[in-house]
Amino acid sequence: MTIFGSNVIFGGGGFSGGTGPTGPAGPTGATGATGPAGATGPTGATGATGPTGATGATGPAGATGATGATGPAGATGATGPAGATGATGATGPAGATGATGPAGGLPAALSASSNVGALGIALTAGSPVPFPITDATFGTSITRVDDDTFSINTPGFYTVTYSISTALVSLLGGVEVQVNGTAVSGTNTLISAGVNLSGVVLFEVTTVPATVEIVVTGLGLTVASGNSSQILIEQIS
């Protein structure tokens, strides 16, 4: 028996020798047929949102919706300008004739005056001023009693208008109109001798007859000479 290195050769049917080193790779063989698809893998994570696409064309208008409920009334607007004046209407029928009114003019009047001598007339307080001359009279509601007193004979409204000239040496008294001895006017007081005292007084008489006089008040006064005093009594209703 011969031994070479680690090999043992037996004669006849001996043992196989050891595996030799791997030879170089051969050329790649042809690709084999595709195997069956594998099972679907799990879903991957959502990718980032892509940019917004361009706006699409406007779609057709939808059907009109039902009418909504009526809203509350708004505030009243300002008044508009007045319209043009309409045409004048036809004249209506004449009304019934009214009752006849009272007769016009004054129912009664009396005027009187005085004509005093050169020295005038000195009158003390409480004395009536004389008007002895009747100048005019009409009607029966006013009559003369004496030189300084007149009578009212019909109820109604009356006026007395008077003017009395005083002497330059007169005391600074005054006068007032009295009916039945009671003053129906304020006192008209002389503020300077030699001037006129004049006035107009309205009064009502309800009980007749009633007397009317112009009576001196205060310190007294002196009526001037000549046609120095006038009185006019008028019934006005």
Side-chain angles (χ1 to χ4, degrees):
M1 174 182 68
T2 303
I3 302 172
F4 299 92
S6 62
N7 293 328
V8 177
I9 301 172
F10 292 94
F15 293 102
S16 299
T19 302
T22 301
T28 300
T31 300
T34 301
T40 302
T43 303
T46 302
T49 303
T52 302
T55 302
T58 302
T64 302
T67 303
T70 302
T76 303
T79 303
T85 302
T88 302
T91 303
T97 302
T100 302
L106 295 174
L110 185 151
S111 65
S113 60
S114 65
N115 191 358
V116 180
L119 298 179
I121 301 175
L123 299 173
T124 58
S127 300
V129 178
F131 302 93
I133 303 169
T134 298
D135 297 316
T137 183
F138 67 88
T140 59
S141 295
I142 308 166
T143 54
R144 177 186 288 280
V145 176
D146 53 32
D147 285 355
D148 46 42
T149 306
F150 304 90
S151 177
I152 302 297
N153 306 313
T154 304
F157 284 91
Y158 292 80
T159 59
V160 170
T161 304
Y162 64 89
S163 176
I164 301 168
S165 297
T166 61
L168 293 175
V169 294
S170 176
L171 296 173
L172 299 182
V175 295
E176 64 185 13
V177 178
Q178 294 186 0
V179 175
N180 290 334
T182 300
V184 294
S185 70
T187 299
N188 192 353
T189 302
L190 189 65
I191 60 174
S192 178
V195 300
N196 284 359
L197 288 174
S198 59
V200 179
V201 178
L202 170 69
F203 59 92
E204 181 183 12
V205 173
T206 57
T207 303
V208 293
T211 59
V212 176
E213 296 175 320
I214 297 183
V215 179
V216 176
T217 62
L219 300 175
L221 55 79
T222 300
V223 177
S225 61
N227 187 6
S228 54
S229 302
Q230 294 83 34
I231 186 171
L232 171 64
I233 306 173
E234 297 173 288
Q235 182 185 13
I236 61 174
S237 70

